[in-house]
Amino acid sequence: VIFHTFCEDIASQLPAVVVSVEYRLAPENRLPIAYDDALNAILWAKDQALGKGGRDPWMEYADFTKVFILGSSAGANIAYHVALRALDFDISPLQIKGVMMNQGYFGGVARTASEIRLKDDAYVPLYVNDVLWTLALPTNLNRDHEFCNPISGGTYLGRIYRLPKIYIKGDYGDPLVDRSVQLAQYLINNGRTVFYRFNAGGFHGIELQNTTAAQELYDDFKYFVNNPFIMNENGISKEPLSYDMKEIMSGGVSRASA
């Protein structure tokens, strides 16, 4: 129910048609099964856009030329990977304009400062995190595989440059936050347009319990989806850009600066 309400809030505030994917879960279905399921959802949306086999009545309200892939926690990990995978498919008339990652669930073999500092976190303690990755990753692969550690290289390197604009949000009270900081820097270094917000304090899943944090996130989503910065026909900025959402929302970054 809590996630359904989250999706309802996003739908009403943007406004948007929200498609929530019920992907198969580990350990019975290890990665990349979840990515396959998310990609199938994108292909389903393509069929909806084409009216193939009929169209669900509620999809009549969707703008298929303005699609954003959004995920929180494990969903943010899936959003990132499926956005990269979708680049290899003809999904027209769908047009993916952006990728939105909230408190992305990523990892790696070497510990980050936030993981060490918050190793006994109430929501994502380090030992639980390790167990979850052991159960989710394909057998015999470690946490530096690209499914877990997106900055480790792997098969996606040639696709990074084709990603549309990206939103990344994290909280410094979340043990996983350094992973999102690293990913943001990695994408910026590879010329992607990145809008980011990293808040002091907080915790993993804060927007599901704190209405103020939730509203800040919704406001970020609205700005990111409707932002005035100039993009080309593929949704990619003409110049590599990165923006701190706090500065943007406070007026610290002007439209003219884009």
Side-chain angles (χ1 to χ4, degrees):
V1 171
I2 192 171
F3 294 106
H4 184 81
T5 301
F6 181 60
C7 290
E8 283 185 327
D9 289 344
I10 294 169
S12 65
Q13 291 212 25
L14 282 179
V17 174
V18 175
V19 179
S20 181
V21 182
E22 185 176 4
Y23 54 89
R24 286 170 288 175
L25 303 176
E28 294 82 3
N29 300 283
R30 293 173 178 263
L31 294 173
I33 293 296
Y35 307 149
D36 295 341
D37 290 346
L39 181 60
N40 283 333
I42 291 175
L43 298 177
W44 169 85
K46 171 186 175 178
D47 287 345
Q48 289 285 305
L50 295 170
K52 191 174 179 179
R55 180 183 289 175
D56 289 10
W58 57 280
M59 292 297 283
E60 295 290 345
Y61 298 95
D63 182 353
F64 296 102
T65 68
K66 197 176 184 182
V67 177
F68 291 81
I69 302 177
L70 163 66
S72 293
S73 191
N77 177 303
I78 295 171
Y80 180 71
H81 286 282
V82 77
L84 288 162
R85 287 173 174 237
L87 293 170
D88 290 343
F89 291 84
D90 177 10
I91 60 171
S92 58
L94 263 63
Q95 296 180 32
I96 297 175
K97 297 295 188 180
V99 183
M100 303 153 76
M101 291 179 278
N102 173 40
Q103 296 186 322
Y105 204 103
F106 298 105
V109 172
R111 304 300 191 191
T112 66
S114 62
E115 289 170 342
I116 295 170
R117 174 170 52 86
L118 299 166
K119 65 184 180 62
D120 296 318
D121 180 69
Y123 297 94
V124 197
L126 193 57
Y127 72 94
V128 171
N129 188 42
D130 289 351
V131 170
L132 292 178
W133 278 118
T134 299
L135 296 174
L137 287 168
T139 306
N140 299 325
L141 294 180
N142 67 24
R143 293 191 306 276
D144 274 338
H145 188 272
E146 63 188 345
F147 293 167
C148 178
N149 187 352
I151 66 173
S152 63
T155 63
Y156 293 140
L157 284 178
R159 307 181 207 181
I160 297 292
Y161 305 99
R162 298 158 56 201
L163 284 172
K165 61 179 180 175
I166 298 153
Y167 169 81
I168 295 178
K169 182 259 185 180
D171 294 87
Y172 283 110
D174 176 3
L176 303 180
V177 67
D178 284 354
R179 301 293 177 181
S180 288
V181 173
Q182 290 174 351
L183 179 58
Q185 189 60 60
Y186 174 76
L187 292 169
I188 292 167
N189 290 344
N190 281 280
R192 296 306 82 215
T193 301
V194 180
F195 295 73
Y196 60 87
R197 180 191 293 277
F198 293 105
N199 296 319
F203 52 87
H204 199 75
I206 186 173
E207 72 282 347
L208 300 176
Q209 301 182 39
N210 184 299
T211 55
T212 300
Q215 189 58 56
E216 182 181 73
L217 186 64
Y218 302 147
D219 289 343
D220 278 3
F221 288 167
K222 284 185 282 188
Y223 184 90
F224 179 77
V225 167
N226 300 301
N227 84 82
F229 297 103
I230 298 171
M231 306 289 166
N232 68 18
E233 65 275 8
N234 297 315
I236 300 173
S237 172
K238 295 178 181 179
E239 297 291 339
L241 302 169
S242 61
Y243 293 106
D244 185 329
M245 291 299 297
K246 288 182 179 179
E247 293 182 5
I248 291 171
M249 302 304 280
S250 66
V253 177
S254 69
R255 296 189 180 198
S257 68

